[in-house]
């Protein structure tokens, strides 16, 4: 039997507002709340909600013959719970079918695996606990941020108890070998590796609506025909896509939903492939060979390396400055400091600083709030400078605000947080107008904090990188 793994990445970062040099030391509000709310609701309306409904309809029609896998980042979970909780409820309904697997990843969709091993482990554990709380699954499959992988990362992930890891089928790593087999890590044979078939995946992500492409239009029948041309001995096709491909990057008018509605019936009727999840495939198939990855690979551009996020002077300087303060952040043990630390680690901030041309650049320009990588760098470093002052200032520590972890079993979101003087919410913590302004070097807002609790609303029209 041959298998097809349909795996979707769900991620939206917290975008930064325009933060100028003169804000440093005076203003700790880093996020563009309007844009974040607008984008997550738009994507929910165009993509997540109709896609979840489609997946549920397909499972109801085909039962266990159709299966799907999701990797949902912490920032996406938080924003969906606050602005579109019905999306979370949809994922919970899918989880209850038994036909869906949720993978582990870094909580803040970060590059911590390249910069701080302890922080990497902390985030992986935090994300695993959150997935367990929300969807009742303890992930055994891991998908690192941007599919980044090397042997050292594999060792860490295996030590954390994961059985399977998803990464890119990079040509310079595979050589003559095909990505359409189950492999294992050369440094730990217990860790199974499933490699993305980037040609078939990118046909959907980037080329699906390209009328200049010789293969346009792409139909389910044509796509399954391509699958059937794969050599008979090759056992598994791994399609790893952004969930936003459905309805946001590829609009409904392109026929993307019709394509996926027709895909399961066409696969099951006209091919030897059967839908599965990574965890199931790693148990059903025997790995054919070890894979050695000395230098990190990713799923970006032709090189499949890290240069979309790290490599130029802007990215390297920002990355170095960010992880220099990691120990100090954890020592402070302040919920608001830890929250901002995690959000500043999201890989998107470094992606916006990329100065090279890469094949998926047009897609990511769609979500890029900056006019140039230099503007992205300056804005990020201004925010990071203020954040560093907050972390290093021991004379006037920020008020200790307890933020309660949200355990989601229904689409409603409970928000409780308290201080001695004011009621607070995990959504937004802002200094009151009476708070004393901070100087650049040492003063920070004092004890008074006021919060405007937000009422729960159903998602309207609004929602990746």
């Amino acid at each position: 039997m041959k298998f097809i793994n349909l795996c979707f990445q769900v991620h939206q970062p917290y975008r930064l507002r325009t933060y100028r040099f003169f804000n440093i030391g005076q203003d700790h509000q880093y996020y563009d709340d309007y844009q974040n709310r607008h984008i997550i609701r738009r994507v929910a309306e165009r993509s997540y909600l109709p896609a979840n409904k489609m997946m549920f309809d397909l499972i109801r029609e085909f039962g266990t013959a159709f299966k799907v896998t999701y990797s949902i980042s912490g920032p996406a979970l938080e924003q969906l719970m606050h602005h579109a909780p019905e999306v979370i409820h949809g994922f919970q309904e899918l989880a209850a079918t038994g036909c869906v697997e949720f993978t582990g990843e870094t909580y803040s969709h970060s590059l911590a695996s390249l910069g701080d091993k302890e922080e990497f482990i902390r985030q992986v554990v935090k994300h695993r606990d959150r997935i367990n709380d929300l969807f009742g699954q303890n992930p055994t499959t891991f998908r690192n941020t941007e599919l980044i992988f090397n042997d050292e990362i594999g060792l860490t992930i295996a030590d954390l108890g994961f059985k399977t890891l998803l990464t890119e089928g990079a040509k310079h790593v595979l050589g003559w070998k095909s990505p359409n087999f189950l492999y294992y890590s050369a440094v730990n044979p217990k860790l199974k590796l499933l490699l993305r078939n980037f040609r078939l995946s990118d046909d959907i992500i980037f080329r699906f609506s390209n009328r200049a492409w010789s293969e346009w239009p792409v139909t389910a029948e044509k796509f399954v025909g391509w699958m059937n041309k794969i050599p008979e001995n090759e056992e598994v096709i791994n399609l790893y896509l952004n969930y936003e491909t459905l309805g946001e990057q590829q609009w409904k008018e392109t026929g993307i939903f019709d394509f996926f509605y027709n895909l399961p019936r066409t696969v099951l009727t006209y091919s030897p492939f059967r839908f599965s999840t990574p965890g199931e495939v790693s148990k059903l198939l025997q790995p054919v060979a070890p894979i050695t990855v000395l230098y990190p690979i990713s799923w970006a551009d032709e090189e499949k390396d890290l240069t979309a996020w790290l490599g130029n002077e802007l990215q390297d300087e920002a990355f170095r400055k960010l992880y220099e303060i990691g120990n100090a952040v954890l020592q402070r043990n302040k919920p608001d400091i830890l929250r901002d630390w995690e959000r500043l680690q999201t890989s998107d901030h470094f992606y916006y600083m990329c100065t090279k041309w890469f094949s998926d650049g047009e897609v990511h320009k769609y979500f890029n709030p900056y006019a140039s990588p230099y503007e992205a760098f300056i804005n990020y470093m201004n925010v990071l400078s203020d954040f560093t002052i907050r972390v290093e200032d021991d004379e006037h520590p920020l008020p200790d605000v307890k933020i309660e972890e949200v355990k989601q079993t229904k689409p409603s979101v409970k928000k409780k947080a308290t201080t001695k003087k004011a009621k607070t919410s995990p959504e937004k913590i802002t200094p009151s107008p009476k708070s004393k302004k901070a100087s650049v070097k040492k003063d920070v807002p004092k004890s008074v904090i006021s919060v405007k609790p937000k009422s729960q609303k159903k998602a309207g029209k609004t929602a990746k990188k």
Side-chain angles (χ1 to χ4, degrees):
M1 186 178 292
K2 303 171 76 168
F3 300 97
I4 176 173
N5 283 326
L6 188 58
C7 306
F8 291 102
Q9 167 69 56
V10 183
H11 170 62
Q12 287 295 323
Y14 282 96
R15 292 161 181 83
L16 303 177
R17 73 179 179 90
T18 300
Y19 193 89
R20 306 191 186 284
F21 174 79
F22 297 103
N23 295 120
I24 299 173
Q26 306 295 324
D27 180 359
H28 307 322
Q29 301 305 313
Y30 304 145
Y31 312 106
D32 190 332
D33 293 333
Y34 172 78
Q35 277 297 323
N36 288 326
R37 181 172 60 252
H38 169 73
I39 291 174
I40 198 71
R41 289 177 65 87
R42 187 188 76 200
V43 173
E45 185 73 18
R46 292 181 178 178
S47 176
Y48 299 158
L49 288 171
N52 279 356
K53 179 182 181 301
M54 179 178 68
M55 297 303 171
F56 193 80
D57 289 344
L58 292 173
I59 290 172
R60 187 165 49 188
E61 180 177 356
F62 296 103
T64 57
F66 178 75
K67 296 180 180 178
V68 65
T69 301
Y70 294 103
S71 179
I72 313 178
S73 72
L77 288 171
E78 291 177 2
Q79 293 182 83
L80 288 170
M81 284 191 288
H82 290 160
H83 303 304
E86 59 268 47
V87 176
I88 297 293
H89 181 61
F91 283 125
Q92 290 175 329
E93 288 182 328
L94 287 169
T97 66
C99 297
V100 174
E101 179 177 356
F102 292 88
T103 73
E105 69 159 73
T106 56
Y107 184 82
S108 62
H109 202 73
S110 74
L111 303 175
S113 60
L114 306 171
D116 188 331
K117 182 178 178 180
E118 291 184 2
E119 174 64 9
F120 175 57
I121 293 172
R122 186 190 71 81
Q123 287 195 27
V124 171
V125 172
K126 179 176 179 177
H127 184 269
R128 181 166 58 187
D129 292 343
R130 179 55 59 90
I131 293 299
N132 198 356
D133 288 343
L134 290 175
F135 308 117
Q137 291 190 19
N138 190 34
T140 59
T141 299
F142 186 77
R143 181 199 191 280
N144 197 17
T145 306
E146 317 297 357
L147 292 181
I148 293 171
F149 174 72
N150 65 6
D151 290 342
E152 185 177 351
I153 293 171
L155 284 174
T156 302
I157 289 305
D159 289 344
L160 289 172
F162 290 93
K163 307 299 183 185
T164 311
L165 184 141
L166 313 182
T167 189
E168 180 70 9
K171 290 181 179 179
H172 67 276
V173 170
L174 284 173
W176 56 268
K177 297 188 287 291
S178 166
N180 303 321
F181 290 101
L182 178 68
Y183 293 92
Y184 63 89
S185 172
V187 295
N188 189 329
K190 293 183 179 180
L191 182 66
K192 309 294 177 58
L193 303 179
L194 285 167
L195 311 182
R196 176 177 178 259
N197 186 311
F198 64 83
R199 184 181 64 81
L200 289 176
S201 298
D202 290 351
D203 283 345
I204 301 174
I205 297 174
F206 302 121
R207 295 182 281 274
F208 184 84
S209 60
N210 182 4
R211 291 173 177 262
W213 183 33
S214 61
E215 298 293 345
W216 184 89
V218 180
T219 64
E221 291 76 14
K222 182 182 290 188
F223 193 83
V224 171
W226 295 339
M227 291 171 51
N228 288 336
K229 291 180 181 179
I230 290 173
E232 187 175 350
N233 65 320
E234 298 185 8
E235 301 171 310
V236 56
I237 294 177
N238 301 302
L239 301 177
Y240 302 161
L241 318 171
N242 300 317
Y243 209 31
E244 297 82 12
T245 301
L246 281 64
E248 179 66 23
Q249 292 170 348
Q250 301 290 346
W251 290 7
K252 177 182 177 181
E253 291 75 12
T254 66
I256 190 70
F257 287 105
D258 294 333
F259 171 81
F260 275 100
Y261 264 115
N262 292 325
L263 185 63
R265 182 175 301 281
T266 308
V267 167
L268 297 174
T269 304
Y270 299 107
S271 84
F273 290 91
R274 295 296 177 263
F275 287 91
S276 187
T277 64
E280 290 178 345
V281 167
S282 67
K283 293 177 182 178
L284 293 172
L285 297 180
Q286 289 297 317
V288 297
I291 294 290
T292 299
V293 185
L294 299 178
Y295 303 99
I297 58 174
S298 77
W299 70 340
D301 60 58
E302 291 295 326
E303 293 84 2
K304 308 297 182 186
D305 59 11
L306 303 180
T307 50
W309 302 275
L310 298 175
N312 68 38
E313 293 183 2
L314 307 179
Q315 295 166 320
D316 292 347
E317 175 69 6
F319 187 79
R320 181 180 65 82
K321 289 288 188 182
L322 176 67
Y323 283 102
E324 277 181 351
I325 59 175
N327 289 334
V329 168
L330 297 179
Q331 289 172 5
R332 284 293 299 274
N333 195 29
K334 301 289 184 179
D336 56 340
I337 293 286
L338 185 59
R339 174 202 65 198
D340 292 339
W341 163 244
E342 290 178 347
R343 293 179 183 179
L344 288 174
Q345 291 184 61
T346 302
S347 66
D348 303 67
H349 302 307
F350 301 92
Y351 202 106
Y352 300 146
M353 301 176 200
C354 184
T355 53
K356 74 168 192 170
W357 176 257
F358 34 87
S359 62
D360 54 353
E362 289 302 320
V363 169
H364 289 282
K365 282 181 182 179
Y366 190 81
F367 289 105
N368 191 339
Y370 301 103
S372 74
Y374 307 100
E375 180 182 316
F377 172 75
I378 292 170
N379 200 66
Y380 182 84
M381 293 305 288
N382 285 342
V383 170
L384 186 58
S385 296
D386 182 84
F387 179 72
T388 302
I389 292 171
R390 290 170 56 200
V391 171
E392 295 178 347
D393 191 341
D394 292 324
E395 247 185 327
H396 301 286
L398 293 174
D400 189 0
V401 180
K402 181 180 179 182
I403 299 180
E404 180 178 305
E405 292 287 338
V406 180
K407 291 189 177 182
Q408 187 83 14
T409 56
K410 295 182 179 180
S412 60
V413 181
K414 296 182 180 179
K415 305 177 218 174
K416 293 182 181 179
T418 58
T419 63
K420 293 182 179 180
K421 296 187 178 182
K423 294 182 179 180
T424 63
S425 159
E427 289 185 48
K428 186 176 180 183
I429 302 176
T430 57
S432 73
K434 297 181 180 179
S435 298
K436 191 174 181 180
K437 285 189 175 181
S439 68
V440 172
K441 291 190 176 179
K442 64 181 183 178
D443 291 336
V444 293
K446 292 189 176 180
S447 60
V448 182
I449 287 181
S450 66
V451 174
K452 296 180 180 179
K454 297 184 179 181
S455 61
Q456 283 291 345
K457 296 183 180 180
K458 292 187 177 179
K461 292 185 177 180
T462 36
K464 166 171 183 189
K465 289 180 180 173

